[in-house]
Amino acid sequence: MPDRPIALDEYPIHQVPLSLRHVATGDRNAYDRCIFHVMDHAGRALLIAGLGVYPNTGVIDAYATLRLGDRLHAVRASDALTDDRMALTVGPLTITVEEPLARLRLRCAADPDDPDGLACDVTWNAAFPATWEPHHTQYRGDRLTLEGRRFVQAGTCTGRIRAGGEELIVTAGEWTGTRDRSWGVRPIPGEDAGRAGAELRPEGFHWVWCPVRFDDRFVMVIVQEDADGHRTLNEALLVRNGTRDLQLGWPHTDIRYRPGTRHPETAVIHLTDPARHPLDLTAEILTSSPLAVGAGYPPADDWQHGTWRGRGWTDRRSYDLSDPAAHPLAAYGVTDHAARFTLDGRVGYGIFEHGSFGRHDPSGFTGHGDVAGEAGR
Protein backbone atom coordinates (compact mmCIF):
# COMPACT_ATOMS: atom_id res chain seq x y z
CA MET A 1 0.00 0.00 0.00
CA PRO A 2 1.44 3.44 -0.89
CA ASP A 3 2.46 5.74 1.96
CA ARG A 4 -0.11 8.51 1.50
CA PRO A 5 -0.91 11.44 3.81
CA ILE A 6 -3.42 10.81 6.57
CA ALA A 7 -6.16 13.09 7.95
CA LEU A 8 -3.99 14.51 10.76
CA ASP A 9 -1.50 15.78 8.18
CA GLU A 10 -4.01 18.51 7.34
CA TYR A 11 -3.26 20.24 10.65
CA PRO A 12 -0.14 22.32 11.48
CA ILE A 13 0.98 20.05 14.31
CA HIS A 14 4.01 18.25 12.81
CA GLN A 15 7.16 18.01 14.93
CA VAL A 16 9.43 16.33 12.37
CA PRO A 17 9.42 16.31 8.52
CA LEU A 18 7.35 13.13 8.37
CA SER A 19 3.71 12.26 8.00
CA LEU A 20 1.93 11.81 11.32
CA ARG A 21 1.57 8.20 10.22
CA HIS A 22 5.18 7.84 11.41
CA VAL A 23 7.13 8.53 14.58
CA ALA A 24 10.57 10.14 14.60
CA THR A 25 12.33 6.93 15.68
CA GLY A 26 12.60 3.54 14.02
CA ASP A 27 12.85 1.80 17.40
CA ARG A 28 10.38 -1.10 17.48
CA ASN A 29 9.57 -0.17 21.10
CA ALA A 30 8.02 3.21 20.25
CA TYR A 31 4.69 3.58 22.03
CA ASP A 32 1.91 6.06 22.85
CA ARG A 33 -0.66 5.11 25.49
CA CYS A 34 -2.82 6.03 28.46
CA ILE A 35 -4.13 4.57 31.70
CA PHE A 36 -7.21 5.53 33.76
CA HIS A 37 -8.07 4.65 37.36
CA VAL A 38 -11.65 4.90 38.61
CA MET A 39 -12.16 4.06 42.29
CA ASP A 40 -14.97 4.33 44.80
CA HIS A 41 -14.20 5.91 48.15
CA ALA A 42 -15.36 2.88 50.11
CA GLY A 43 -12.71 0.67 48.50
CA ARG A 44 -15.27 -1.68 47.01
CA ALA A 45 -14.25 -1.32 43.36
CA LEU A 46 -11.25 -0.28 41.25
CA LEU A 47 -11.60 0.04 37.48
CA ILE A 48 -8.40 0.35 35.44
CA ALA A 49 -8.53 0.97 31.70
CA GLY A 50 -5.98 1.84 29.06
CA LEU A 51 -5.17 1.96 25.36
CA GLY A 52 -1.85 1.86 23.55
CA VAL A 53 -0.50 2.40 20.04
CA TYR A 54 2.76 0.82 18.83
CA PRO A 55 3.41 2.46 15.45
CA ASN A 56 6.56 0.55 14.46
CA THR A 57 4.98 -2.85 15.10
CA GLY A 58 1.59 -1.85 13.67
CA VAL A 59 -0.38 -2.77 16.80
CA ILE A 60 -3.14 -1.04 18.76
CA ASP A 61 -4.48 -2.62 21.94
CA ALA A 62 -6.59 -1.83 24.99
CA TYR A 63 -7.79 -3.35 28.24
CA ALA A 64 -10.14 -2.83 31.16
CA THR A 65 -10.05 -4.57 34.53
CA LEU A 66 -12.40 -4.29 37.49
CA ARG A 67 -11.45 -5.39 41.00
CA LEU A 68 -14.73 -6.17 42.77
CA GLY A 69 -14.39 -8.12 45.99
CA ASP A 70 -11.97 -10.98 45.38
CA ARG A 71 -12.73 -11.18 41.65
CA LEU A 72 -10.88 -9.39 38.89
CA HIS A 73 -12.90 -9.07 35.67
CA ALA A 74 -10.81 -8.34 32.58
CA VAL A 75 -11.39 -7.47 28.93
CA ARG A 76 -8.43 -7.20 26.52
CA ALA A 77 -8.41 -6.47 22.79
CA SER A 78 -5.79 -6.06 20.07
CA ASP A 79 -5.88 -5.26 16.37
CA ALA A 80 -3.94 -3.87 13.44
CA LEU A 81 -3.17 -0.16 13.69
CA THR A 82 -4.91 1.92 11.02
CA ASP A 83 -4.26 5.40 9.65
CA ASP A 84 -7.12 6.86 11.70
CA ARG A 85 -5.11 7.79 14.78
CA MET A 86 -8.05 9.65 16.32
CA ALA A 87 -10.16 6.46 16.47
CA LEU A 88 -9.31 5.25 19.98
CA THR A 89 -11.24 2.00 19.77
CA VAL A 90 -10.22 -1.66 19.82
CA GLY A 91 -12.87 -4.36 19.81
CA PRO A 92 -15.35 -3.62 22.62
CA LEU A 93 -13.12 -0.94 24.20
CA THR A 94 -13.35 2.76 23.29
CA ILE A 95 -11.88 5.98 24.67
CA THR A 96 -13.48 9.19 23.39
CA VAL A 97 -11.81 12.56 23.91
CA GLU A 98 -14.90 14.75 24.27
CA GLU A 99 -12.92 17.81 25.38
CA PRO A 100 -9.11 17.57 25.41
CA LEU A 101 -7.60 17.67 28.91
CA ALA A 102 -11.06 18.11 30.43
CA ARG A 103 -13.58 15.36 29.63
CA LEU A 104 -13.11 11.81 28.32
CA ARG A 105 -15.44 8.86 28.02
CA LEU A 106 -14.47 5.24 28.74
CA ARG A 107 -16.63 2.48 27.32
CA CYS A 108 -16.48 -1.28 27.35
CA ALA A 109 -19.34 -2.89 25.42
CA ALA A 110 -21.12 -5.82 27.01
CA ASP A 111 -20.63 -9.33 25.68
CA PRO A 112 -24.09 -10.67 24.69
CA ASP A 113 -22.87 -14.21 25.41
CA ASP A 114 -21.65 -13.34 28.92
CA PRO A 115 -24.15 -11.27 30.94
CA ASP A 116 -21.83 -11.41 33.98
CA GLY A 117 -18.84 -10.03 32.07
CA LEU A 118 -17.40 -6.56 32.44
CA ALA A 119 -19.11 -3.59 30.77
CA CYS A 120 -18.86 0.11 31.53
CA ASP A 121 -19.73 3.59 30.35
CA VAL A 122 -17.91 6.18 32.45
CA THR A 123 -17.29 9.87 31.85
CA TRP A 124 -14.04 11.18 33.31
CA ASN A 125 -14.01 14.91 34.21
CA ALA A 126 -10.85 16.78 35.11
CA ALA A 127 -10.80 18.62 38.43
CA PHE A 128 -7.29 20.05 38.01
CA PRO A 129 -5.05 20.91 35.07
CA ALA A 130 -2.87 18.20 33.57
CA THR A 131 0.62 18.25 35.07
CA TRP A 132 3.91 17.09 33.56
CA GLU A 133 5.80 14.29 35.19
CA PRO A 134 9.61 14.42 34.97
CA HIS A 135 11.32 13.15 31.83
CA HIS A 136 11.80 9.42 32.40
CA THR A 137 14.82 7.43 31.16
CA GLN A 138 16.24 4.01 31.95
CA TYR A 139 19.39 2.31 30.69
CA ARG A 140 20.58 -1.28 30.52
CA GLY A 141 24.31 -0.89 30.32
CA ASP A 142 24.92 1.77 27.66
CA ARG A 143 21.62 1.23 25.89
CA LEU A 144 18.68 3.56 26.43
CA THR A 145 15.77 1.14 26.97
CA LEU A 146 13.08 3.57 28.14
CA GLU A 147 12.54 7.22 27.36
CA GLY A 148 9.10 8.56 28.06
CA ARG A 149 7.18 11.78 28.58
CA ARG A 150 4.07 11.78 30.73
CA PHE A 151 1.36 13.99 32.07
CA VAL A 152 -0.93 13.13 34.95
CA GLN A 153 -4.33 14.45 36.01
CA ALA A 154 -7.03 13.90 38.63
CA GLY A 155 -10.78 14.31 38.41
CA THR A 156 -14.21 12.92 39.10
CA CYS A 157 -16.26 10.28 37.31
CA THR A 158 -19.88 9.50 36.54
CA GLY A 159 -21.55 6.58 34.80
CA ARG A 160 -22.18 2.86 35.22
CA ILE A 161 -20.09 -0.29 35.57
CA ARG A 162 -21.48 -3.84 35.35
CA ALA A 163 -19.79 -7.13 36.23
CA GLY A 164 -20.55 -10.34 38.08
CA GLY A 165 -24.27 -9.69 38.08
CA GLU A 166 -23.85 -6.32 39.82
CA GLU A 167 -24.30 -2.77 38.55
CA LEU A 168 -22.29 0.03 40.12
CA ILE A 169 -23.48 3.62 39.79
CA VAL A 170 -20.47 5.92 39.52
CA THR A 171 -21.10 9.33 41.11
CA ALA A 172 -18.83 12.35 41.35
CA GLY A 173 -19.13 12.63 45.13
CA GLU A 174 -18.25 9.00 45.88
CA TRP A 175 -15.73 8.16 43.15
CA THR A 176 -12.36 9.58 42.13
CA GLY A 177 -10.52 9.26 38.82
CA THR A 178 -6.85 9.67 37.94
CA ARG A 179 -5.14 9.25 34.59
CA ASP A 180 -1.72 9.20 32.99
CA ARG A 181 -0.70 9.79 29.34
CA SER A 182 2.73 8.73 28.16
CA TRP A 183 4.66 8.27 24.94
CA GLY A 184 8.19 7.56 23.80
CA VAL A 185 10.11 4.28 23.81
CA ARG A 186 9.35 1.46 26.25
CA PRO A 187 10.23 -2.26 25.98
CA ILE A 188 7.76 -4.49 24.13
CA PRO A 189 8.04 -8.28 24.66
CA GLY A 190 9.79 -10.33 22.01
CA GLU A 191 13.10 -8.54 21.63
CA ASP A 192 16.50 -10.19 22.18
CA ALA A 193 18.18 -7.92 24.72
CA GLY A 194 21.62 -9.34 23.88
CA ARG A 195 24.59 -9.30 26.23
CA ALA A 196 23.32 -6.28 28.16
CA GLY A 197 20.09 -8.09 28.96
CA ALA A 198 21.89 -11.24 30.07
CA GLU A 199 24.80 -9.76 32.01
CA LEU A 200 23.51 -6.42 33.30
CA ARG A 201 20.34 -7.36 35.10
CA PRO A 202 19.49 -4.87 37.87
CA GLU A 203 19.85 -6.12 41.44
CA GLY A 204 16.73 -4.31 42.52
CA PHE A 205 14.08 -1.79 41.56
CA HIS A 206 11.82 0.26 43.84
CA TRP A 207 8.90 2.34 42.50
CA VAL A 208 6.17 4.56 43.97
CA TRP A 209 3.76 6.50 41.72
CA CYS A 210 1.11 8.35 43.65
CA PRO A 211 -1.54 10.74 42.20
CA VAL A 212 -4.01 11.96 44.85
CA ARG A 213 -7.12 14.14 44.53
CA PHE A 214 -8.28 16.30 47.42
CA ASP A 215 -11.25 18.65 47.14
CA ASP A 216 -9.07 21.73 46.65
CA ARG A 217 -5.72 20.30 45.52
CA PHE A 218 -3.95 17.53 43.66
CA VAL A 219 -0.72 15.93 44.86
CA MET A 220 1.65 13.93 42.66
CA VAL A 221 4.58 11.94 44.06
CA ILE A 222 7.04 9.75 42.13
CA VAL A 223 9.97 7.82 43.58
CA GLN A 224 12.19 5.42 41.61
CA GLU A 225 15.29 3.92 43.23
CA ASP A 226 17.98 1.38 42.48
CA ALA A 227 18.97 -1.45 44.81
CA ASP A 228 21.24 0.79 46.89
CA GLY A 229 18.57 3.50 47.20
CA HIS A 230 20.07 5.77 44.53
CA ARG A 231 17.19 7.99 43.30
CA THR A 232 16.74 7.88 39.53
CA LEU A 233 13.35 9.60 39.30
CA ASN A 234 11.86 12.06 41.75
CA GLU A 235 8.83 14.33 41.92
CA ALA A 236 6.58 15.83 44.57
CA LEU A 237 4.12 18.49 43.44
CA LEU A 238 1.05 20.20 44.84
CA VAL A 239 -1.34 21.50 42.15
CA ARG A 240 -4.17 23.98 42.76
CA ASN A 241 -6.36 25.69 40.22
CA GLY A 242 -5.22 29.18 39.34
CA THR A 243 -1.91 29.06 41.23
CA ARG A 244 1.62 28.00 40.45
CA ASP A 245 2.49 24.37 41.24
CA LEU A 246 4.39 23.95 44.50
CA GLN A 247 7.33 21.61 44.89
CA LEU A 248 7.17 19.50 48.04
CA GLY A 249 10.78 18.57 48.48
CA TRP A 250 12.54 15.23 48.28
CA PRO A 251 9.96 12.57 49.23
CA HIS A 252 10.84 9.68 51.51
CA THR A 253 8.50 6.75 52.06
CA ASP A 254 7.85 4.56 55.08
CA ILE A 255 5.82 1.56 53.95
CA ARG A 256 4.28 -1.02 56.26
CA TYR A 257 3.96 -4.27 54.36
CA ARG A 258 1.70 -7.20 55.03
CA PRO A 259 3.90 -9.76 56.84
CA GLY A 260 5.38 -12.34 54.51
CA THR A 261 4.86 -10.16 51.42
CA ARG A 262 5.81 -6.89 49.77
CA HIS A 263 2.18 -5.85 49.68
CA PRO A 264 1.74 -2.42 51.35
CA GLU A 265 -1.02 -1.95 53.91
CA THR A 266 -0.21 1.62 54.94
CA ALA A 267 2.41 4.15 53.95
CA VAL A 268 3.65 7.58 54.95
CA ILE A 269 5.31 9.79 52.35
CA HIS A 270 7.37 12.46 54.08
CA LEU A 271 7.29 15.78 52.22
CA THR A 272 8.24 19.40 52.95
CA ASP A 273 6.41 22.58 52.04
CA PRO A 274 8.22 25.52 50.37
CA ALA A 275 9.10 26.89 53.81
CA ARG A 276 10.74 23.50 54.62
CA HIS A 277 8.08 22.59 57.15
CA PRO A 278 7.42 18.82 57.24
CA LEU A 279 4.28 17.44 55.61
CA ASP A 280 3.18 13.82 55.83
CA LEU A 281 1.04 12.25 53.12
CA THR A 282 -0.47 9.11 54.67
CA ALA A 283 -1.97 6.29 52.60
CA GLU A 284 -4.39 3.60 53.78
CA ILE A 285 -4.81 0.86 51.18
CA LEU A 286 -8.46 0.14 50.31
CA THR A 287 -8.22 -2.40 47.49
CA SER A 288 -5.56 -3.54 45.05
CA SER A 289 -5.18 -4.62 41.43
CA PRO A 290 -1.92 -6.25 40.28
CA LEU A 291 -1.14 -5.00 36.77
CA ALA A 292 0.40 -8.35 35.82
CA VAL A 293 -3.05 -9.93 36.19
CA GLY A 294 -5.46 -8.99 33.41
CA ALA A 295 -4.00 -5.57 32.54
CA GLY A 296 -1.11 -6.74 30.36
CA TYR A 297 1.87 -5.33 32.27
CA PRO A 298 4.99 -7.46 32.78
CA PRO A 299 5.54 -10.14 33.89
CA ALA A 300 2.04 -11.22 32.75
CA ASP A 301 2.17 -14.61 31.04
CA ASP A 302 -1.17 -14.57 29.17
CA TRP A 303 -0.92 -11.22 27.31
CA GLN A 304 1.33 -8.15 27.34
CA HIS A 305 0.97 -4.74 25.69
CA GLY A 306 2.19 -4.35 22.13
CA THR A 307 2.21 -8.05 21.27
CA TRP A 308 0.59 -9.11 18.01
CA ARG A 309 -2.37 -11.46 18.47
CA GLY A 310 -3.77 -11.18 14.97
CA ARG A 311 -6.60 -9.03 13.70
CA GLY A 312 -9.69 -8.59 15.82
CA TRP A 313 -8.40 -10.40 18.92
CA THR A 314 -10.58 -10.06 22.05
CA ASP A 315 -10.23 -11.92 25.33
CA ARG A 316 -12.51 -11.83 28.37
CA ARG A 317 -11.81 -13.60 31.61
CA SER A 318 -12.20 -13.48 35.37
CA TYR A 319 -9.50 -14.08 37.97
CA ASP A 320 -9.83 -15.19 41.59
CA LEU A 321 -7.55 -13.00 43.71
CA SER A 322 -8.47 -14.56 47.06
CA ASP A 323 -5.45 -16.89 46.89
CA PRO A 324 -2.18 -15.02 46.18
CA ALA A 325 -0.49 -18.32 45.31
CA ALA A 326 -2.80 -18.64 42.29
CA HIS A 327 -1.01 -15.71 40.61
CA PRO A 328 2.65 -15.94 41.64
CA LEU A 329 3.88 -13.55 38.94
CA ALA A 330 1.83 -10.73 40.45
CA ALA A 331 4.42 -10.44 43.24
CA TYR A 332 7.03 -9.46 40.64
CA GLY A 333 4.97 -6.78 38.92
CA VAL A 334 3.69 -3.34 39.82
CA THR A 335 0.37 -3.22 41.72
CA ASP A 336 -2.09 -0.34 41.74
CA HIS A 337 -3.62 0.23 45.16
CA ALA A 338 -6.69 2.42 45.58
CA ALA A 339 -6.08 4.35 48.79
CA ARG A 340 -7.48 6.89 51.19
CA PHE A 341 -4.96 9.65 51.87
CA THR A 342 -4.61 12.30 54.53
CA LEU A 343 -2.54 15.49 54.25
CA ASP A 344 -2.55 18.39 56.68
CA GLY A 345 -6.00 17.46 57.99
CA ARG A 346 -7.52 16.88 54.55
CA VAL A 347 -8.83 13.54 53.25
CA GLY A 348 -8.36 12.58 49.61
CA TYR A 349 -8.37 9.55 47.32
CA GLY A 350 -6.01 8.26 44.70
CA ILE A 351 -3.59 5.55 43.66
CA PHE A 352 -0.61 4.23 45.57
CA GLU A 353 1.16 2.38 42.75
CA HIS A 354 4.04 0.34 44.05
CA GLY A 355 6.56 -2.27 43.04
CA SER A 356 9.66 -3.35 44.93
CA PHE A 357 11.70 -6.17 43.40
CA GLY A 358 15.02 -7.64 44.42
CA ARG A 359 17.38 -5.83 46.75
CA HIS A 360 16.40 -2.46 48.21
CA ASP A 361 18.72 -1.32 50.97
CA PRO A 362 16.52 1.48 52.41
CA SER A 363 13.67 -1.03 52.90
CA GLY A 364 15.94 -3.76 54.23
CA PHE A 365 15.19 -6.18 51.38
CA THR A 366 18.25 -8.25 50.46
CA GLY A 367 17.06 -10.03 47.29
CA HIS A 368 14.14 -11.21 45.20
CA GLY A 369 13.08 -13.80 47.78
CA ASP A 370 13.10 -11.44 50.74
CA VAL A 371 9.75 -10.27 52.20
CA ALA A 372 8.53 -8.26 55.16
CA GLY A 373 8.79 -9.83 58.60
CA GLU A 374 6.09 -10.09 61.23
CA ALA A 375 6.57 -6.45 62.22
CA GLY A 376 6.38 -5.25 58.62
CA ARG A 377 8.96 -2.73 57.37
Side-chain angles (χ1 to χ4, degrees):
M1 179 180 294
D3 182 3
R4 301 188 188 280
I6 64 174
L8 281 173
D9 288 325
E10 288 277 19
Y11 298 90
I13 55 177
H14 297 82
Q15 301 297 304
V16 293
L18 295 169
S19 165
L20 286 168
R21 177 199 301 265
H22 305 291
V23 288
T25 176
D27 194 318
R28 73 180 290 274
N29 296 308
Y31 82 104
D32 199 331
R33 73 187 190 206
C34 61
I35 185 171
F36 291 82
H37 300 87
V38 179
M39 71 210 77
D40 79 320
H41 296 173
R44 184 178 175 218
L46 171 59
L47 174 73
I48 303 177
L51 182 146
V53 165
Y54 306 86
N56 290 337
T57 58
V59 174
I60 180 171
D61 55 32
Y63 64 92
T65 66
L66 176 70
R67 174 73 188 262
L68 186 62
D70 286 331
R71 304 297 302 183
L72 186 74
H73 304 271
V75 179
R76 298 88 67 83
S78 178
D79 211 336
L81 182 63
T82 72
D83 288 343
D84 188 356
R85 300 303 169 82
M86 297 183 73
L88 305 181
T89 185
V90 194
L93 297 159
T94 300
I95 298 174
T96 304
V97 181
E98 296 186 342
E99 183 181 347
L101 304 178
R103 187 175 68 255
L104 300 98
R105 188 177 178 187
L106 315 175
R107 285 175 287 175
C108 177
D111 181 356
D113 296 325
D114 182 11
D116 289 336
L118 174 60
C120 68
D121 189 344
V122 174
T123 298
W124 193 101
N125 290 283
F128 300 94
T131 301
W132 288 114
E133 299 180 24
H135 194 80
H136 191 184
T137 60
Q138 285 184 335
Y139 286 82
R140 180 70 61 88
D142 292 329
R143 184 190 174 190
L144 180 67
T145 59
L146 185 154
E147 182 176 18
R149 192 58 164 138
R150 293 188 175 96
F151 66 75
V152 64
Q153 198 170 19
T156 61
C157 298
T158 57
R160 296 174 182 269
I161 304 171
R162 295 198 310 273
E166 295 188 58
E167 181 172 74
L168 306 175
I169 306 301
V170 180
T171 60
E174 298 176 336
W175 294 69
T176 283
T178 64
R179 73 179 186 117
D180 172 281
R181 273 279 289 119
S182 67
W183 56 92
V185 172
R186 184 170 179 163
I188 300 172
E191 182 179 50
D192 182 358
R195 180 185 68 84
E199 297 183 357
L200 301 173
R201 299 180 183 276
E203 292 185 64
F205 175 80
H206 188 84
W207 170 261
V208 172
W209 179 82
C210 196
V212 187
R213 182 182 73 89
F214 297 89
D215 286 341
D216 65 341
R217 63 197 59 201
F218 168 60
V219 174
M220 179 68 218
V221 177
I222 304 172
V223 172
Q224 179 180 290
E225 293 180 343
D226 293 335
D228 61 0
H230 177 74
R231 188 74 57 92
T232 54
L233 195 67
N234 185 87
E235 187 68 287
L237 281 179
L238 186 151
V239 178
R240 288 177 294 191
N241 290 314
T243 65
R244 185 176 181 179
D245 296 350
L246 297 180
Q247 295 176 321
L248 298 180
W250 188 267
H252 291 279
T253 59
D254 287 326
I255 301 174
R256 182 175 181 84
Y257 294 97
R258 182 183 302 159
T261 74
R262 296 198 194 185
H263 180 98
E265 294 184 327
T266 61
V268 179
I269 303 176
H270 302 289
L271 308 168
T272 53
D273 69 14
R276 300 185 180 180
H277 299 134
L279 287 172
D280 284 347
L281 178 65
T282 301
E284 174 194 356
I285 304 304
L286 300 175
T287 191
S288 306
S289 188
L291 295 180
V293 181
Y297 284 78
D301 58 358
D302 55 0
W303 169 72
Q304 288 193 30
H305 302 153
T307 54
W308 175 241
R309 290 300 182 98
R311 294 176 181 268
W313 177 79
T314 298
D315 177 75
R316 293 176 180 261
R317 62 182 65 195
S318 178
Y319 302 86
D320 182 0
L321 297 183
S322 62
D323 179 10
H327 307 287
L329 291 179
Y332 299 94
V334 169
T335 296
D336 283 352
H337 307 275
R340 179 185 297 112
F341 292 83
T342 58
L343 177 70
D344 198 22
R346 295 172 173 84
V347 175
Y349 296 87
I351 293 294
F352 187 85
E353 181 176 277
H354 182 50
S356 186
F357 320 115
R359 188 180 120 229
H360 186 238
D361 295 346
S363 299
F365 295 127
T366 59
H368 286 279
D370 195 13
V371 294
E374 288 302 315
R377 292 181 192 253

